Amino acid sequence: MKIATIQQKYHKNKKKTIKKTISMIEEASKNGVDLVVLQELHQTHYFCQNENVDNFDLASSWEDDKIFWSNVAKKYSVVLVTSLFEKRAAGLYHNTAVVFDKDGSICGQYRKMHIPDDPGFYEKFYFTPGDLGFEPIDTSIGKLGVLICWDQWYPEAARLMTLRGADILIYPTAIGWFEDDSEDEKQRQLDSWIAVQRGHAIANGIPVVTVNRVGFEKDNSKVLRGTLFWGNSFVFGSQGELLANGSSDKEEIIYCDIDLSRVEDVRRWWPFLRDRRVESYGDITKRYID
């Protein structure tokens, strides 16, 4: 499987941002990729930096957006992983990944399950937690275990996608620093973010693909200065080996060839799934064990 992750910044408005995205998809298509992965909420700025009811209007184009990206996938003959703001009903919204096949058909969608609520990341104000579970999405190139950003910190999500037959784990992401943080703190955050996802690859014997945005985005409410998104998109193989990685500050297409047949070999050498003591894990569903 030849993949391309598209790491980019926000270009002042939706139209200009999408224009840049399309140009990068076109370039990736010319290079023969099978799969293109876009970052979290890639059409707009990261609007969750503050709580503003007017931002719900960004989801009003949900149905049109699906048609648009369907046509893009078909035009460039790629399996396309998008990340869109879904308006499900009046007052009910989701952070939703929609996956399109090479013919433009919708293969499936995933609604973000874990929703953060932190300074500069007020997602609980906007998004209802997903209700589609952890189900891989069948495509013409394999089963994609699509998760979204905050989901990446939860080993349970990666494990359940794996146990349901995902061939690869994919994380569209929007994560960055506050510039006032110390350099040591910034490095700890980045190292932790990379390490936890590398751990998912190793523990499950499965490739992990993560694409993050770059660039500084102001907080329009002026409560905070804004967020500097740290890029560093990457691909890890099924033993946790680094296959590809991006810069911290540049828009770029990150290419990678993934041999899915290697998963079988790795799981024969390291049979973690075989040796799980499933009869002893019942307490994992408790909030805390007193």
Side-chain angles (χ1 to χ4, degrees):
M1 181 191 297
K2 185 170 185 177
I3 72 169
T5 61
I6 293 182
Q7 174 176 290
Q8 67 174 114
K9 64 182 180 181
Y10 176 61
H11 289 267
K12 297 185 179 179
N13 60 52
K14 180 177 178 178
K15 183 177 180 179
K16 290 180 180 178
T17 301
I18 288 177
K19 182 178 180 180
K20 178 63 175 180
T21 306
I22 297 301
S23 71
M24 297 173 85
I25 293 174
E26 181 178 17
E27 181 179 338
S29 175
K30 289 177 180 177
N31 282 300
V33 302
D34 303 295
L35 172 67
V36 174
V37 182
L38 305 181
Q39 62 205 26
E40 184 182 21
L41 300 172
H42 54 82
Q43 298 189 117
T44 64
H45 63 298
Y46 181 73
F47 53 86
C48 307
Q49 290 196 74
N50 53 68
E51 298 180 351
N52 183 342
V53 293
D54 291 341
N55 284 333
F56 288 107
D57 292 339
L58 295 170
S60 62
S61 60
W62 158 250
E63 295 296 339
D64 290 337
D65 289 339
K66 287 190 294 182
I67 293 170
F68 178 86
W69 293 108
S70 167
N71 290 331
V72 170
K74 183 176 181 179
K75 179 177 180 179
Y76 296 107
S77 190
V78 294
V79 175
L80 181 64
V81 178
T82 65
S83 174
L84 307 175
F85 192 11
E86 175 188 0
K87 182 178 181 179
R88 187 174 181 181
L92 184 60
Y93 300 82
H94 295 283
N95 186 336
T96 302
V98 184
V99 179
F100 303 90
D101 219 319
K102 294 182 179 183
D103 62 359
S105 61
I106 294 178
C107 299
Q109 62 185 42
Y110 166 80
R111 292 178 176 137
K112 187 174 182 176
M113 294 282 277
H114 300 94
I115 311 297
D117 187 50
D118 295 297
F121 297 88
Y122 296 109
E123 295 195 14
K124 278 187 168 65
F125 182 78
Y126 295 101
F127 307 129
T128 298
D131 56 1
L132 298 177
F134 301 107
E135 294 286 346
I137 296 172
D138 274 308
T139 74
S140 59
I141 59 173
K143 291 184 177 181
L144 309 184
V146 181
L147 298 157
I148 301 174
C149 201
W150 196 238
D151 293 325
Q152 63 209 177
W153 299 98
Y154 295 87
E156 298 91 342
R159 178 72 88 198
L160 288 169
M161 279 292 190
T162 299
L163 293 178
R164 288 193 167 97
D167 295 311
I168 186 173
L169 298 178
I170 296 172
Y171 295 94
T173 296
I175 189 168
W177 292 298
F178 298 136
E179 290 189 296
D180 292 338
D181 286 342
S182 69
E183 291 305 312
D184 285 348
E185 176 59 23
K186 289 178 180 178
Q187 192 62 51
R188 284 191 293 268
Q189 291 175 12
L190 177 61
D191 289 347
S192 296
W193 177 72
I194 293 171
V196 73
Q197 293 176 89
R198 186 182 186 195
H200 298 334
I202 298 167
N204 294 290
I206 193 171
V208 170
V209 175
T210 297
V211 57
N212 187 29
R213 63 172 67 205
V214 291
F216 179 76
E217 296 185 24
K218 291 191 299 183
D219 174 10
N220 294 330
S221 73
K222 299 182 181 179
V223 173
L224 301 170
R225 288 181 60 200
T227 302
L228 180 61
F229 293 96
W230 67 41
N232 282 283
S233 303
F234 57 75
V235 181
F236 284 114
S238 49
Q239 280 183 296
E241 68 275 25
L242 183 63
L243 301 179
N245 66 299
S247 68
S248 63
D249 58 356
K250 293 183 177 63
E251 289 188 298
E252 57 189 325
I253 304 170
I254 299 147
Y255 294 99
C256 186
D257 290 308
I258 296 178
D259 180 4
L260 294 180
S261 66
R262 179 170 164 73
V263 171
E264 176 67 26
D265 292 334
V266 170
R267 289 184 182 170
R268 289 180 181 182
W269 303 329
W270 289 353
F272 300 142
L273 300 185
R274 181 197 68 190
D275 294 338
R276 293 174 66 237
R277 295 295 303 278
V278 295
E279 73 280 5
S280 301
Y281 298 156
D283 284 346
I284 198 70
T285 60
K286 295 181 179 179
R287 181 69 63 186
Y288 186 78
I289 301 172
D290 296 304

